[in-house]
Amino acid sequence: MLARVLLLSQLALFSAHAQDAQSERERCASVRPVETIQFRGKTLVEAPDVTDPRLRNANALISGRCYEAARSLLEKYMTEEGRDAQALYVAARYVWIHAGTEEAERAIDSFIAEYPSFVSAKVLLSGLRIEQKRFADAAEMVIELERDAPTDLWVVLNGVRVAAQRVPD
């Protein structure tokens, strides 16, 4: 009798897990990159120097917390196309989420050293500085990035995040 109860409870758990996996697959299948956002009279784009549709989709999947799908797309892209700045940007975001800020900082610093003109890497680093509560460093970066990429969504958002830290309670 006990064995039957245990078996039934395991089947129920398996069924619930399978339903969760199915609903996650369905949810992730509907994730699409946001093309543009209107904000304060500007048309903003997330990571405008990530232009490959597969990597824009992988980036959106990371934002949508569809990590396995994002990783799969990124791996497929890197197998087919090789390692380039756009792929490294998506990989750095993935590392940040899965390995933490120290590992992400190493990855982003290495990325910027290899591709110093890839603005989205610097934008990502400014966001990391905010998470590290290094607001003065982030503010300096945002000021520079506002000149280089005034329509980058995360430049604007990181500017707002830094400004929010300067507002007294």
Side-chain angles (χ1 to χ4, degrees), residues 133-145:
K133 299 192 183 330
R134 294 172 55 185
F135 300 114
D137 293 341
E140 284 181 32
M141 294 180 78
V142 167
I143 289 167
E144 180 182 324
L145 290 165

Side-chain angles (χ1 to χ4, degrees), residues 42-101:
K42 289 183 180 180
T43 301
L44 305 177
V45 178
E46 181 179 10
D49 42 6
V50 176
T51 57
D52 186 279
R54 296 165 292 180
L55 293 175
R56 290 193 64 76
N57 195 36
N59 190 49
L61 287 165
I62 290 171
S63 296
R65 295 188 170 116
C66 299
Y67 304 122
E68 197 57 35
R71 185 185 57 74
S72 177
L73 263 179
L74 178 60
E75 286 177 352
K76 184 176 183 199
Y77 176 90
M78 290 177 85
T79 299
E80 293 172 359
E81 306 295 334
R83 183 180 166 275
D84 62 22
Q86 295 181 68
L88 288 177
Y89 171 82
V90 176
R93 283 198 68 215
Y94 189 88
V95 166
W96 184 355
I97 291 166
H98 290 282
T101 57

Side-chain angles (χ1 to χ4, degrees), residues 106-151:
R106 281 191 287 277
I108 296 167
D109 285 344
S110 173
F111 176 14
I112 291 171
E114 189 173 348
Y115 295 97
S117 64
F118 199 82
V119 175
S120 290
K122 296 173 187 174
V123 175
L124 192 60
L125 184 58
S126 72
L128 182 67
R129 294 290 180 253
I130 293 168
E131 185 169 312
Q132 294 169 328
K133 299 192 183 330
R134 294 172 55 185
F135 300 114
D137 293 341
E140 284 181 32
M141 294 180 78
V142 167
I143 289 167
E144 180 182 324
L145 290 165
E146 285 172 335
R147 287 190 307 264
D148 295 341
T151 60

